[in-house]
Amino acid sequence: MLALAAAGVLSACGGGTQQIDPFVPTRIIALGDEASAITAAGKKYTINGLDATTGLLACAANPNWVQIVAGNFGLVFKECNPTNIATPTGIMYAAAGVKVADVRARLDAHFANGSFGPKDLVTVMAGTNDILELYAQYPAQSSDSLLAEARARGKLLAQQVNRIADANGRVVVAVVPDVGLTPFAVKEAAAKPGSLDRAKFLSSLTEELNLEMTINLKNDGRLIGLVKTNDDGSGGIQTMVKFASGFGFANVTSAACLDAVALTDCTTKTLVTGAAVDTWLWASDVQLSPAGHQRLGSLALVRARNNPF
């Protein structure tokens, strides 16, 4: 009887079910490497879009994954602000060449001047450059020692994500795309046959870094949302490569951009014969095309929207 009475009171007050307010961030902060970066000139490390009328760079076209997330919340980075919003709501810390240790250094600098808050959405994806650095040390370093170092870097990355969460920021962290599935890996496997499958080794380095990062995250479900970039059961990169045609891809093994052109200068006018923005997965040997970014951005948005931030 008491339980029924209490339920009636709750129902009368509108408290029969708990309502979680949608997360509406007021600022976005991007940490990571080329995959998340926008240069001061508004260029991205993918196939850049051009204005159909002027033929000039259109920084909002062919967005990378952090732009997709930002735009869905009405946020904008100063590096790409085509409507000249007076006060951009995005901070771009991501940059070319960044490794996990650089993410830590960037956070150190940020904390020296400020902190994070519950309306900050922080995107993090780093580790590709670490994997490439470790891979380049083989065979001078053993595969076992390199895999161990990959795990150490994954743990270090998790510690940085946890620092943001401890400061009350909201984090969407994406695992590193499988480097063993990149055009770089395809070339390495073909050029260096032997007892060690180079593509599989790159996949193993990726897996170890990602796994160690994942298991060391503070997993309370409230402050950190994990994006399973490679395969989350709904179509990550590994699934897209395996079932390419089912996802509309005509090529998942080659780079779309011409080798002679710097990636930030790659546009829809500087592609290899037959390449297309929407049907090729990779822009360069290790960086995603706009179609790849669309998929990653969609997965990140699901996490940002559905996590109880």
Side-chain angles (χ1 to χ4, degrees):
M1 292 292 292
L2 287 173
L4 287 171
V9 171
L10 283 172
S11 179
C13 296
T17 58
Q18 184 179 7
Q19 177 66 42
I20 299 175
D21 293 331
F23 176 57
V24 183
T26 56
R27 184 170 69 161
I28 187 167
I29 301 168
L31 285 158
D33 56 28
E34 291 93 329
S36 305
I38 309 171
T39 72
K43 297 179 179 182
K44 301 179 291 289
Y45 294 82
T46 186
I47 304 169
N48 289 275
L50 301 174
D51 184 275
T53 302
T54 66
L56 300 176
L57 176 73
C59 68
N62 296 353
N64 66 18
W65 76 283
V66 295
Q67 283 181 291
I68 293 167
V69 174
N72 196 267
F73 287 106
L75 305 174
V76 64
F77 294 96
K78 69 177 182 179
E79 289 79 4
C80 182
N81 183 15
T83 58
N84 295 314
I85 294 174
T87 307
T89 44
I91 298 175
M92 179 56 59
Y93 287 150
V98 162
K99 297 192 283 287
V100 171
D102 300 310
V103 173
R104 177 177 58 186
R106 181 63 264 180
L107 276 178
D108 289 344
H110 179 88
F111 279 118
N113 295 290
S115 189
F116 297 96
K119 293 298 183 179
D120 284 335
L121 176 59
V122 186
T123 63
V124 179
M125 186 167 73
T128 296
N129 290 317
D130 296 82
I131 290 164
L132 293 172
E133 179 184 64
L134 295 175
Y135 173 76
Q137 296 174 30
Y138 181 85
Q141 298 291 326
S142 71
S143 59
D144 286 344
S145 66
L146 294 172
L147 290 168
E149 178 60 21
R151 288 190 287 273
R153 297 192 188 193
K155 183 175 182 179
L156 178 61
L157 182 58
Q159 291 168 349
Q160 308 321 304
V161 174
N162 291 339
R163 289 173 71 190
I164 300 168
D166 288 341
N168 207 26
R170 297 335 189 228
V171 193
V172 169
V173 54
V175 302
V176 177
D178 188 347
V179 182
L181 297 178
T182 62
F184 172 76
V186 172
K187 292 177 182 178
E188 285 292 292
K192 300 171 182 176
S195 58
L196 181 73
D197 184 313
R198 297 300 181 117
K200 287 184 179 179
F201 183 45
L202 283 162
S203 288
S204 294
L205 288 168
T206 307
E207 183 179 1
E208 292 301 305
L209 187 149
N210 284 338
L211 179 59
E212 197 69 17
M213 186 269 288
T214 301
I215 63 176
N216 281 283
L217 291 175
K218 292 189 174 179
N219 190 22
D220 68 353
R222 187 175 63 86
L223 299 172
I224 300 171
L226 179 66
V227 181
K228 297 178 181 178
T229 309
N230 292 309
D231 190 3
D232 66 342
S234 60
I237 287 173
Q238 291 171 343
T239 308
M240 288 190 290
V241 169
K242 189 174 182 179
F243 304 105
S245 61
F247 288 90
F249 286 102
N251 189 306
V252 294
T253 58
S254 304
C257 296
L258 291 168
D259 286 339
V261 178
L263 189 52
T264 49
D265 292 327
C266 178
T267 71
T268 50
K269 299 293 186 182
T270 63
L271 304 181
V272 301
T273 301
V277 169
D278 296 330
T279 60
W280 283 45
L281 180 59
W282 302 101
S284 74
D285 277 355
V286 293
Q287 296 299 327
L288 291 167
S289 70
H293 277 284
Q294 282 289 340
R295 186 59 192 162
L296 176 54
S298 296
L299 293 174
L301 273 174
V302 168
R303 188 56 53 226
R305 291 288 187 189
N306 292 348
N307 243 58
F309 286 148

mmCIF file of all heavy atoms in Angstrom, residues 194-214:
data_model
loop_
_atom_site.group_PDB
_atom_site.id
_atom_site.type_symbol
_atom_site.label_atom_id
_atom_site.label_comp_id
_atom_site.label_asym_id
_atom_site.label_seq_id
_atom_site.Cartn_x
_atom_site.Cartn_y
_atom_site.Cartn_z
ATOM 1 N N GLY A 194 57.644 -12.100 -46.014
ATOM 2 C CA GLY A 194 58.528 -12.820 -45.108
ATOM 3 C C GLY A 194 57.746 -13.501 -44.020
ATOM 4 O O GLY A 194 56.521 -13.664 -44.105
ATOM 5 N N SER A 195 58.443 -13.885 -42.976
ATOM 6 C CA SER A 195 57.797 -14.622 -41.888
ATOM 7 C C SER A 195 56.813 -13.749 -41.109
ATOM 8 O O SER A 195 55.872 -14.261 -40.505
ATOM 9 C CB SER A 195 58.858 -15.176 -40.930
ATOM 10 O OG SER A 195 59.652 -14.125 -40.402
ATOM 11 N N LEU A 196 57.055 -12.437 -41.126
ATOM 12 C CA LEU A 196 56.145 -11.520 -40.429
ATOM 13 C C LEU A 196 55.245 -10.840 -41.452
ATOM 14 O O LEU A 196 55.723 -10.118 -42.325
ATOM 15 C CB LEU A 196 56.926 -10.465 -39.653
ATOM 16 C CG LEU A 196 56.056 -9.462 -38.870
ATOM 17 C CD1 LEU A 196 55.447 -10.129 -37.649
ATOM 18 C CD2 LEU A 196 56.855 -8.232 -38.460
ATOM 19 N N ASP A 197 53.955 -11.075 -41.340
ATOM 20 C CA ASP A 197 52.990 -10.402 -42.206
ATOM 21 C C ASP A 197 52.898 -8.949 -41.751
ATOM 22 O O ASP A 197 52.408 -8.653 -40.654
ATOM 23 C CB ASP A 197 51.628 -11.091 -42.100
ATOM 24 C CG ASP A 197 50.594 -10.515 -43.053
ATOM 25 O OD1 ASP A 197 50.469 -9.283 -43.128
ATOM 26 O OD2 ASP A 197 49.904 -11.308 -43.711
ATOM 27 N N ARG A 198 53.392 -8.037 -42.587
ATOM 28 C CA ARG A 198 53.489 -6.631 -42.182
ATOM 29 C C ARG A 198 52.121 -6.008 -41.886
ATOM 30 O O ARG A 198 51.983 -5.248 -40.927
ATOM 31 C CB ARG A 198 54.215 -5.827 -43.268
ATOM 32 C CG ARG A 198 55.659 -6.253 -43.522
ATOM 33 C CD ARG A 198 56.508 -6.112 -42.264
ATOM 34 N NE ARG A 198 57.895 -6.482 -42.469
ATOM 35 C CZ ARG A 198 58.931 -5.638 -42.335
ATOM 36 N NH1 ARG A 198 58.726 -4.396 -41.997
ATOM 37 N NH2 ARG A 198 60.158 -6.083 -42.514
ATOM 38 N N ALA A 199 51.138 -6.306 -42.713
ATOM 39 C CA ALA A 199 49.807 -5.747 -42.479
ATOM 40 C C ALA A 199 49.218 -6.259 -41.160
ATOM 41 O O ALA A 199 48.649 -5.491 -40.376
ATOM 42 C CB ALA A 199 48.883 -6.086 -43.644
ATOM 43 N N LYS A 200 49.381 -7.551 -40.895
ATOM 44 C CA LYS A 200 48.858 -8.105 -39.645
ATOM 45 C C LYS A 200 49.589 -7.530 -38.435
ATOM 46 O O LYS A 200 48.992 -7.327 -37.379
ATOM 47 C CB LYS A 200 48.965 -9.632 -39.662
ATOM 48 C CG LYS A 200 47.964 -10.306 -40.587
ATOM 49 C CD LYS A 200 48.050 -11.829 -40.499
ATOM 50 C CE LYS A 200 47.025 -12.488 -41.397
ATOM 51 N NZ LYS A 200 47.100 -13.974 -41.345
ATOM 52 N N PHE A 201 50.881 -7.279 -38.595
ATOM 53 C CA PHE A 201 51.638 -6.684 -37.489
ATOM 54 C C PHE A 201 51.142 -5.278 -37.188
ATOM 55 O O PHE A 201 50.989 -4.883 -36.028
ATOM 56 C CB PHE A 201 53.129 -6.679 -37.810
ATOM 57 C CG PHE A 201 54.000 -6.154 -36.688
ATOM 58 C CD1 PHE A 201 53.809 -6.557 -35.379
ATOM 59 C CD2 PHE A 201 55.009 -5.229 -36.962
ATOM 60 C CE1 PHE A 201 54.606 -6.070 -34.341
ATOM 61 C CE2 PHE A 201 55.813 -4.739 -35.941
ATOM 62 C CZ PHE A 201 55.605 -5.157 -34.626
ATOM 63 N N LEU A 202 50.865 -4.501 -38.242
ATOM 64 C CA LEU A 202 50.306 -3.156 -38.037
ATOM 65 C C LEU A 202 48.938 -3.229 -37.366
ATOM 66 O O LEU A 202 48.608 -2.415 -36.501
ATOM 67 C CB LEU A 202 50.210 -2.426 -39.375
ATOM 68 C CG LEU A 202 51.531 -1.874 -39.914
ATOM 69 C CD1 LEU A 202 51.430 -1.571 -41.400
ATOM 70 C CD2 LEU A 202 51.944 -0.611 -39.144
ATOM 71 N N SER A 203 48.150 -4.229 -37.745
ATOM 72 C CA SER A 203 46.852 -4.426 -37.078
ATOM 73 C C SER A 203 47.047 -4.792 -35.612
ATOM 74 O O SER A 203 46.302 -4.332 -34.738
ATOM 75 C CB SER A 203 46.049 -5.523 -37.786
ATOM 76 O OG SER A 203 45.569 -5.091 -39.030
ATOM 77 N N SER A 204 48.053 -5.619 -35.322
ATOM 78 C CA SER A 204 48.318 -6.021 -33.929
ATOM 79 C C SER A 204 48.761 -4.829 -33.093
ATOM 80 O O SER A 204 48.338 -4.683 -31.938
ATOM 81 C CB SER A 204 49.381 -7.121 -33.893
ATOM 82 O OG SER A 204 48.913 -8.294 -34.497
ATOM 83 N N LEU A 205 49.619 -3.987 -33.645
ATOM 84 C CA LEU A 205 50.032 -2.773 -32.928
ATOM 85 C C LEU A 205 48.820 -1.890 -32.630
ATOM 86 O O LEU A 205 48.677 -1.350 -31.520
ATOM 87 C CB LEU A 205 51.061 -1.999 -33.755
ATOM 88 C CG LEU A 205 52.465 -2.604 -33.855
ATOM 89 C CD1 LEU A 205 53.274 -1.890 -34.929
ATOM 90 C CD2 LEU A 205 53.195 -2.532 -32.507
ATOM 91 N N THR A 206 47.958 -1.751 -33.626
ATOM 92 C CA THR A 206 46.741 -0.952 -33.444
ATOM 93 C C THR A 206 45.859 -1.546 -32.351
ATOM 94 O O THR A 206 45.376 -0.842 -31.457
ATOM 95 C CB THR A 206 45.942 -0.889 -34.764
ATOM 96 O OG1 THR A 206 46.776 -0.443 -35.818
ATOM 97 C CG2 THR A 206 44.758 0.057 -34.618
ATOM 98 N N GLU A 207 45.653 -2.848 -32.432
ATOM 99 C CA GLU A 207 44.775 -3.528 -31.475
ATOM 100 C C GLU A 207 45.291 -3.407 -30.050
ATOM 101 O O GLU A 207 44.515 -3.154 -29.112
ATOM 102 C CB GLU A 207 44.631 -4.988 -31.862
ATOM 103 C CG GLU A 207 43.680 -5.775 -30.962
ATOM 104 C CD GLU A 207 43.529 -7.219 -31.391
ATOM 105 O OE1 GLU A 207 44.173 -7.631 -32.367
ATOM 106 O OE2 GLU A 207 42.760 -7.942 -30.723
ATOM 107 N N GLU A 208 46.600 -3.574 -29.866
ATOM 108 C CA GLU A 208 47.163 -3.518 -28.517
ATOM 109 C C GLU A 208 47.055 -2.113 -27.932
ATOM 110 O O GLU A 208 46.717 -1.944 -26.756
ATOM 111 C CB GLU A 208 48.618 -3.982 -28.535
ATOM 112 C CG GLU A 208 48.793 -5.464 -28.849
ATOM 113 C CD GLU A 208 48.062 -6.347 -27.854
ATOM 114 O OE1 GLU A 208 48.301 -6.224 -26.645
ATOM 115 O OE2 GLU A 208 47.232 -7.180 -28.299
ATOM 116 N N LEU A 209 47.343 -1.098 -28.746
ATOM 117 C CA LEU A 209 47.219 0.275 -28.259
ATOM 118 C C LEU A 209 45.766 0.581 -27.902
ATOM 119 O O LEU A 209 45.468 1.126 -26.826
ATOM 120 C CB LEU A 209 47.732 1.252 -29.324
ATOM 121 C CG LEU A 209 47.828 2.737 -28.914
ATOM 122 C CD1 LEU A 209 48.974 3.419 -29.648
ATOM 123 C CD2 LEU A 209 46.524 3.491 -29.175
ATOM 124 N N ASN A 210 44.848 0.223 -28.799
ATOM 125 C CA ASN A 210 43.431 0.499 -28.550
ATOM 126 C C ASN A 210 42.898 -0.246 -27.332
ATOM 127 O O ASN A 210 42.149 0.318 -26.524
ATOM 128 C CB ASN A 210 42.607 0.108 -29.784
ATOM 129 C CG ASN A 210 42.728 1.110 -30.918
ATOM 130 O OD1 ASN A 210 43.069 2.269 -30.707
ATOM 131 N ND2 ASN A 210 42.457 0.662 -32.130
ATOM 132 N N LEU A 211 43.272 -1.505 -27.204
ATOM 133 C CA LEU A 211 42.763 -2.304 -26.092
ATOM 134 C C LEU A 211 43.252 -1.756 -24.757
ATOM 135 O O LEU A 211 42.468 -1.625 -23.808
ATOM 136 C CB LEU A 211 43.202 -3.762 -26.253
ATOM 137 C CG LEU A 211 42.763 -4.721 -25.139
ATOM 138 C CD1 LEU A 211 41.251 -4.754 -25.022
ATOM 139 C CD2 LEU A 211 43.314 -6.127 -25.380
ATOM 140 N N GLU A 212 44.524 -1.424 -24.688
ATOM 141 C CA GLU A 212 45.064 -0.913 -23.418
ATOM 142 C C GLU A 212 44.451 0.439 -23.070
ATOM 143 O O GLU A 212 44.182 0.728 -21.903
ATOM 144 C CB GLU A 212 46.585 -0.802 -23.515
ATOM 145 C CG GLU A 212 47.284 -0.677 -22.172
ATOM 146 C CD GLU A 212 47.216 -1.946 -21.334
ATOM 147 O OE1 GLU A 212 46.913 -3.025 -21.897
ATOM 148 O OE2 GLU A 212 47.463 -1.863 -20.107
ATOM 149 N N MET A 213 44.218 1.257 -24.095
ATOM 150 C CA MET A 213 43.547 2.529 -23.842
ATOM 151 C C MET A 213 42.145 2.293 -23.308
ATOM 152 O O MET A 213 41.732 2.872 -22.299
ATOM 153 C CB MET A 213 43.484 3.348 -25.137
ATOM 154 C CG MET A 213 42.921 4.764 -24.959
ATOM 155 S SD MET A 213 41.133 4.873 -25.175
ATOM 156 C CE MET A 213 40.989 4.664 -26.943
ATOM 157 N N THR A 214 41.428 1.384 -23.954
ATOM 158 C CA THR A 214 40.036 1.141 -23.590
ATOM 159 C C THR A 214 39.883 0.613 -22.168
ATOM 160 O O THR A 214 39.037 1.095 -21.396
ATOM 161 C CB THR A 214 39.401 0.141 -24.571
ATOM 162 O OG1 THR A 214 39.475 0.676 -25.900
ATOM 163 C CG2 THR A 214 37.958 -0.126 -24.219
#
